[in-house]
Amino acid sequence: MADLVEYKPRTAFPGKLGRTVAESSPAWPEPVRAKEGAPNIIFFILDDVGYGQMSAFGGLVNTPNIDRLAEDGLRYTNMHTTALCSPTRSCVLTGRNHHSNGVAAIMEMATGYPGYDCRMPFPNGMLPEMLLEHGYNTFCVGKWHLAPAEEGTPAGPYHRWPLGRGFERYYGFLGGETNQWFPDLTYDNHSVSQPKTVEEGYHLDEDLADHAIQFILDAQVNAPDKPFFLYYAPGCAHAPHQVAKEWIDKYKGRFDMGWDKYREVVFQRQKEMGMFPADAELSRRDPDVPEWDTLTDEQKQLYARFMEVYAGFLEHCDSQIGRVLKALEEIGELDNTLIMVLPDNGASSEGGVDGAFNEMSSFNNRWEKLEEILPRADELGGPASYNHYPWGWSWAGNTPFRRWKKEVYRGGCTDDLIVHWPKGIRAKGEIRSQYAHAIDMVPTVLEVLGIEPPGSIRGVDQSPIEGVSFAHTFDDADASSEHHTQYFEMFASRAIDHDGWRAVCGFPGPSYAEGAKKGRKLGDEITDEVLDDLDATSWELYHLAEDPAECHDLAEQHPEKLREMIARWYVEAGKYKVLPLDATLFQRLAADRPRITKTRDKYTFYPDLSVVPIGNTPMVFNRPHSITAEVEIPAGGAEGVLLAQGGVAGGYVFYVKGNKLHYLHNYLGLEEFTVTSSVDVPEGKSTLRYEFEPTGKPDIGNGRGVPGRGQLYINGKLVGNTDFPTSVPITFGIEGLSCGYDFGEAVTHEYDVPFRFTGTLHEVTVDLSGDLIEDDEAQVRKLMAQQ
């Protein structure tokens, strides 16, 4: 190696070229190498973890491995995110604001405006793309949720998947959440099945840690001097909160105090840790959260159990992070790894006031009742559940701040940050109170590495980095913050921070209850009249330097300061593509978006191919449709799934069992509606068909889709007929569609997954055109009498 001559690519060849090798001397293009001693980089991005939940920040959930990082590193107590997952993650990886990235909300809510289209622009390069050019390996494990939902299929395009944005290896799930027991896994650019079953001890968090360690060790064995960047994003602690019972039972009785007392205990712990001064005030009681002492004994028992499940889930995730840290320690790389731990937003309120056994109910406007959940309390966290805790725990989890995820009061957008780098930071166990935001992580890493932001990446000119480095605060607790102004917007909730002051305007109000008094509710459209009224009457003003928990509104005392802050918000909004404001939810979920293929009424599926992601499945909701399978049944019969979508949280399955043809509709895990053939499926070739014909109108506001008539046909003959009282109105959840087997968790307990079809299945066609078979009414009445 010492005799090798190297030269920079695209520079003159420094060797000698003669007529023969004997008359020549070689030289080699210099490989891309990192600077000697360059640190590894790890971002641990947690999901839906509130400011006051981890023990590292005074919370009552034990996170010993994250605590260790904090004790040997730094706690940043004035760190901010966007209040939602995809937007924050776009900031973390690019150093640009979420609207600049086109990611105003989650990818499934894209609309046709520059700040909202969720097509992250390539001029906003990602950190892994930058580090590749400086000799780094780049690995991504866990949640992605940064590609348009329409592009998350095996047809691609793949250029916004992890491997298209600078990561060399990827293992995880592309969407916003997944089942911890039955995840929808992608390895690099293809779908894979989980490596073992739940019965064999499978859990997603453990699987992610396995692959993170494998990626690190693979590189270490082959190039021990080459640094890596690992983006590690577990599904925890996003719903569903799922973990083995022994982790849940560790917390039995620990939350019987309730959420009001929890806030007091945690705030006192935070003061003792030096996070807040002794005279700091706890934010007000939230009008949307019932006082714990007013609840019945049954409510207290159930709500405490919900929190026990969440705590066990989060501690289990911390344990997997500990495995990654141990692997680094064993290869001697922990001290020279710059680690940043950050949740993506505040604690989540999607569980509603009572919590949910099936979180997907709320996405269908169906809020579960206490009496529906209580009998199944022992199943919470297990494979049969898809649970989320009540929003009282969201409020408490963000202690000492107001509100929660999706809103820009500090509970939604102020988060814990831990920085750990023993080789590069002398200070240990200290607190840093400088203002920072998720957009500051990329420029901080670049400064640490001595790397200038690239002018271009793969031939694409790059936009300016919008964040600022906080590396100068690592060893200087008294250093000033370089981040002076930061805007916030999420579903038309708005705020702006500037040099210790904060103006905030909640929507539909400071709480749902207060919004309702003005006739506004979550998801309402923002009209010109509403916006004018909000700007005139609803902005609040806080001096965070003296009032960190937004307790004292100073709007009336300082009207000029408030006007200045509002004007500053509009300036930032214009600069970063925040307008037009959009507070809608379901309208954005249902919005038309460009697809790679034309709109179609017929979908044809083939057996045993990869699962079809939810963004590309037929939208069968509230409309007539049919499912037709072309099969061959061998002598002696066959059984198995013909077509399935969804799981315990809701879905449907068309299958053969006991020689009969069946269709089952799982209504949000609450009820199952079934139609079964009155005759056996014959041997030989057959056409098996299911039809759904609506018989009424949907009641979307109350979580009920259209009622309808479910009918089965074998070779064109009506063989089954049942009326369904309702149907799933909006979504079956996150689990995609599979043909010839049931992917992931079972839609019903009538069979065990994957329940592959044992005959020959040629194809299955879903037809949304409304072209249905006209039936003989006498035959319909006869079959109805048999059901």
Side-chain angles (χ1 to χ4, degrees), residues 549-566:
E550 299 170 310
C551 297
H552 301 286
D553 181 6
L554 304 178
E556 292 187 5
Q557 291 95 312
H558 299 281
E560 292 184 4
K561 185 66 177 180
L562 180 61
R563 285 194 292 271
E564 171 203 321
M565 295 288 281
I566 296 172

Side-chain angles (χ1 to χ4, degrees), residues 651-653 655 662-668 670-676 690 692 704 706-708 710 722-728:
Y652 69 84
V653 58
Y655 67 105
H662 308 266
Y663 174 89
L664 182 145
H665 188 92
N666 180 335
Y667 175 66
L668 303 177
L670 298 170
E671 296 181 80
E672 292 183 353
F673 307 128
T674 305
V675 56
T676 298
Y690 165 76
F692 179 76
R704 298 177 69 83
V706 293
T722 299
D723 282 339
F724 295 164
T726 188
S727 57
V728 174

Side-chain angles (χ1 to χ4, degrees), residues 689-703:
R689 182 177 173 95
Y690 165 76
E691 290 187 352
F692 179 76
E693 182 179 358
T695 55
K697 295 182 178 180
D699 184 4
I700 303 294
N702 289 305

Side-chain angles (χ1 to χ4, degrees), residues 618 620-623 625-628 640-645 650-657 660-667 672-678 681 688-693 706 708-713 719-724 726-728 732 737 747-748 750-751 764 766 787:
V620 299
F621 309 102
N622 306 309
R623 63 193 299 175
H625 60 273
S626 65
I627 303 172
T628 304
V641 168
L642 303 170
L643 197 71
Q645 183 178 348
Y652 69 84
V653 58
F654 188 38
Y655 67 105
V656 177
K657 184 180 179 185
K660 296 290 194 296
L661 182 61
H662 308 266
Y663 174 89
L664 182 145
H665 188 92
N666 180 335
Y667 175 66
E672 292 183 353
F673 307 128
T674 305
V675 56
T676 298
S677 66
S678 58
V681 177
L688 309 180
R689 182 177 173 95
Y690 165 76
E691 290 187 352
F692 179 76
E693 182 179 358
V706 293
R709 180 168 298 166
Q711 298 181 318
L712 296 176
Y713 297 85
V719 295
N721 189 98
T722 299
D723 282 339
F724 295 164
T726 188
S727 57
V728 174
F732 293 128
L737 178 147
V747 177
T748 175
E750 295 296 320
Y751 54 79
V764 180
V766 178
Q787 297 297 319

Side-chain angles (χ1 to χ4, degrees), residues 559-577:
E560 292 184 4
K561 185 66 177 180
L562 180 61
R563 285 194 292 271
E564 171 203 321
M565 295 288 281
I566 296 172
R568 193 180 296 274
W569 185 90
Y570 274 102
V571 169
E572 298 295 291
K575 188 188 303 183
Y576 297 117
K577 307 176 184 176

Side-chain angles (χ1 to χ4, degrees), residues 366-431:
R366 173 62 162 81
W367 299 95
E368 297 173 48
K369 300 178 178 62
L370 178 73
E371 57 269 23
E372 293 173 325
I373 307 171
L374 195 60
R376 307 185 69 185
D378 288 343
E379 297 180 63
L380 291 172
S385 69
Y386 204 91
N387 48 290
H388 196 307
Y389 57 23
W391 64 31
W393 289 119
S394 316
W395 171 59
N398 293 322
T399 300
F401 302 125
R402 294 170 61 178
R403 301 302 284 175
W404 41 57
K405 173 183 174 182
K406 297 201 304 286
E407 300 181 30
V408 298
Y409 288 98
R410 297 199 76 195
C413 61
T414 307
D415 284 283
D416 313 325
L417 172 67
I418 294 167
V419 178
H420 180 274
W421 183 27
K423 192 171 181 178
I425 302 175
R426 294 187 303 274
K428 296 186 187 301
E430 296 183 6
I431 285 176

Side-chain angles (χ1 to χ4, degrees), residues 27-66:
W28 296 86
E30 181 182 82
V32 176
R33 299 189 185 99
K35 293 180 181 178
E36 186 174 352
N40 308 303
I41 311 292
I42 299 181
F43 288 174
F44 287 110
I45 306 300
L46 302 175
D47 207 329
D48 288 2
V49 175
Y51 190 89
Q53 290 182 320
M54 294 190 291
S55 53
F57 276 72
L60 302 186
V61 179
N62 293 325
T63 51
N65 294 288
I66 295 175

